Amino acid sequence: MKTEISNRIKIPPGFWEGVHQLGIAAQDIARIARLPLSIRTEPFVTTDQYFAIWRAYSDLIGDTAIGIIKLATAFETAKYPPTVLAPYHARDYRDALNRMARYKQLCPPESLRMAEEGERCTIELEWRNAEQVGPPMLVGVTLAFLLELGRRGTGQPLTAQLVEFSSTMGDVQALEAYFGCPIRIGAAGNRLTLHRKDLDRSFISYNEELLEILTPALDRSLDEHQHSQSMTKTVKWIMKRSLTGGRPDIQAVAKELSISERTLQRRLTDENTSFKQLLTQARHEQAREYLADPSLEIKEVAYLIGYEDQNSFYRAFRLWEGDTPSNWRAEHLGSNALSFHT
């Protein structure tokens, strides 16, 4: 089910390392994006959170074009995730780009469509969900990185033929200097057009042995993502990331999944559960997880799982565990945790 894929986005550590090199702190991005400070260590984020992170980086860096160029060049090769490491160690630029397009399915919410014709190779960036279009900074970095991949892999200062953006991108002259070609603003889509002859260039970073390890593992991951996933797990995952300071409603979750409220209810019924049951389970599971963290106070735990009133959290927790949050924590963490947090 594609909804599972499109709402589980993993931000590579190289992103955070890159912005750090540019003098931008992760906590500042989290603050502007209005996300918890733990966002850097979260295994996955939602599409909305992902876009908010990119907008925050854009706000902090200032000019969009400068932000694109700085991050694309600052991203260290050693920090590439496996989905990029395989293209970087491909046989040639064509192989690398084909691998990028294929494994981009594991890195939503954008996808890449590649076409070769005449002397051109055009790569168009598309969005899995047409209603959720990414910010200009993300668009620019994605296309810049495709050229950066070719430059690093071949060891040559490759240039593009043309780059088209649907939105304004800041300092166009800076972008033209980086891409080495004209930049078209206000286009119908976001496209990078390369010289087709460059695709035949061999990669000096080619590593056959590493590819023999990475390729089967990535292909298996891709197959797993393309198979149907439990709607129950998907909804609960979204709930857990939407609990802080409030209670997620079925309309919001259905919108996140790009389906109707009625369809969501029907699918949950088919899996012998309901939205209300899953919300209770999500809160219960998150409560246990947060209480196991001695750095969090009880009132913080209540807020993090969507209770504005600490007493309501106490009542709910008694129903779940037959005990108070304080006593549960004492039993699981020891008397020191009890004396410190109650």
Side-chain angles (χ1 to χ4, degrees):
M1 183 181 65
K2 290 185 177 180
T3 52
E4 176 80 3
I5 300 173
S6 63
N7 288 287
R8 288 172 63 87
I9 302 169
K10 187 171 185 178
I11 300 179
F15 170 83
W16 299 111
E17 294 292 336
V19 297
H20 177 71
Q21 286 187 32
L22 301 180
I24 296 175
Q27 56 263 35
D28 290 334
I29 290 180
R31 174 177 52 80
I32 292 177
R34 297 184 178 180
L35 296 173
L37 295 178
S38 61
I39 198 68
R40 179 177 179 176
T41 57
E42 286 287 338
F44 298 99
V45 297
T46 65
T47 302
D48 288 341
Q49 290 172 332
Y50 185 60
F51 288 169
I53 288 169
W54 280 100
R55 292 190 187 98
Y57 165 66
S58 184
D59 289 346
L60 287 166
I61 203 71
D63 185 85
T64 302
I66 302 304
I68 291 168
I69 298 166
K70 284 187 173 182
L71 188 57
T73 53
F75 205 115
E76 295 181 9
T77 305
K79 298 292 184 179
Y80 284 171
T83 51
V84 179
L85 202 59
Y88 175 67
H89 290 296
R91 182 179 296 276
D92 53 39
Y93 197 12
R94 177 179 285 102
D95 184 20
L97 290 172
N98 281 323
R99 288 175 184 270
M100 280 293 294
R102 174 172 170 75
Y103 298 136
K104 204 76 179 80
Q105 297 176 69
L106 292 168
C107 309
E110 64 267 28
S111 62
L112 300 173
R113 186 158 55 90
M114 180 175 162
E116 294 184 47
E117 184 177 358
E119 298 179 353
R120 297 182 168 218
C121 171
T122 301
I123 306 170
E124 184 162 6
L125 186 151
E126 298 175 334
W127 304 103
R128 303 284 182 87
N129 185 346
E131 295 180 358
Q132 289 183 295
V133 177
M137 183 67 76
L138 172 58
V139 172
V141 170
T142 300
L143 296 187
F145 186 77
L146 294 174
L147 181 61
E148 191 71 23
L149 175 65
R151 288 172 173 173
R152 296 186 186 191
T154 63
Q156 299 295 319
L158 304 183
T159 60
Q161 276 197 23
L162 175 68
V163 182
E164 300 167 90
F165 293 114
S166 59
S167 303
T168 56
M169 305 298 286
D171 188 345
V172 173
Q173 288 185 336
L175 287 175
E176 289 181 336
Y178 173 79
F179 283 100
C181 70
I183 301 294
R184 181 179 298 165
I185 302 297
N190 298 291
R191 288 177 289 270
L192 170 69
T193 301
L194 299 169
H195 300 278
R196 193 177 183 183
K197 58 180 173 56
D198 286 338
L199 272 59
D200 295 320
R201 292 179 182 270
S202 298
F203 267 25
I204 57 176
S205 52
Y206 174 53
N207 188 323
E208 184 178 8
E209 292 182 356
L210 185 58
L211 287 176
E212 288 178 355
I213 297 172
L214 290 174
T215 302
L218 288 170
D219 287 345
R220 282 195 301 271
S221 296
L222 190 57
D223 288 341
E224 290 172 4
H225 275 277
Q226 290 174 336
H227 281 79
S228 296
Q229 298 287 332
S230 164
M231 177 62 79
T232 297
K233 291 181 180 179
T234 305
V235 170
K236 192 185 291 186
W237 181 83
I238 294 173
M239 285 176 170
K240 286 182 177 181
R241 281 149 184 79
S242 308
L243 286 173
T244 303
R247 174 177 173 173
D249 56 43
I250 192 169
Q251 293 89 352
V253 174
K255 183 180 179 181
E256 181 81 14
L257 293 168
S258 301
I259 60 177
S260 68
E261 180 181 338
R262 180 176 296 180
T263 297
L264 175 55
Q265 289 174 326
R266 186 183 71 250
R267 291 189 181 178
L268 292 178
T269 300
D270 291 342
E271 295 183 14
N272 300 312
T273 188
S274 68
F275 189 86
K276 185 177 180 180
Q277 287 176 315
L278 290 182
L279 180 58
T280 299
Q281 291 173 19
R283 280 177 154 173
H284 186 186
E285 291 170 11
Q286 287 297 92
R288 289 172 62 96
E289 181 178 334
Y290 288 136
L291 286 171
D293 182 352
S295 69
L296 294 173
E297 296 183 8
I298 301 294
K299 62 181 180 181
E300 290 180 289
V301 174
Y303 176 76
L304 287 170
I305 65 170
Y307 287 98
E308 297 180 2
D309 177 7
Q310 188 172 331
N311 290 331
S312 297
F313 169 54
Y314 267 77
R315 288 193 296 270
F317 196 83
R318 275 186 175 276
L319 290 174
W320 299 334
E321 297 288 341
D323 208 345
T324 67
S326 301
N327 289 341
W328 186 93
R329 170 174 268 172
E331 180 181 346
H332 288 78
L333 297 183
S335 58
N336 288 338
L338 175 63
S339 62
F340 183 80
H341 287 284
T342 57

